[in-house]
Amino acid sequence: MQNARQQAIENAAREVIAHGGPEALTDPRQVLNSMRTASDLGATHQDITDEMKRQRNA
């Protein structure tokens, strides 16, 4: 289950980054769905924020 959770966190972070903030470059439903999936698997917003930082610095 941890592997699915981590994959969901990584996906949610990618979706949020790809969305592009206020410019809304992608469909916001994709972002919300990926965030919901990660949350359903036990991820917190902080988990996703930390992963976004990791991906941006990679």
Side-chain angles (χ1 to χ4, degrees):
M1 191 60 129
Q2 181 66 22
N3 191 29
R5 178 180 173 271
Q6 185 59 38
Q7 287 177 340
I9 290 169
E10 291 170 7
N11 184 56
R14 274 191 303 276
E15 290 290 340
V16 172
I17 292 168
H19 185 64
E23 293 84 18
L25 303 174
T26 61
D27 184 345
R29 290 175 290 194
Q30 289 175 250
V31 177
L32 294 174
N33 288 341
S34 64
M35 295 280 291
R36 185 176 304 114
T37 298
S39 178
D40 288 348
L41 291 170
T44 66
H45 283 265
Q46 189 61 49
D47 292 332
I48 296 167
T49 299
D50 292 345
E51 178 60 22
M52 288 171 56
K53 289 176 185 176
R54 188 194 70 75
Q55 288 182 21
R56 285 184 175 140
N57 292 325

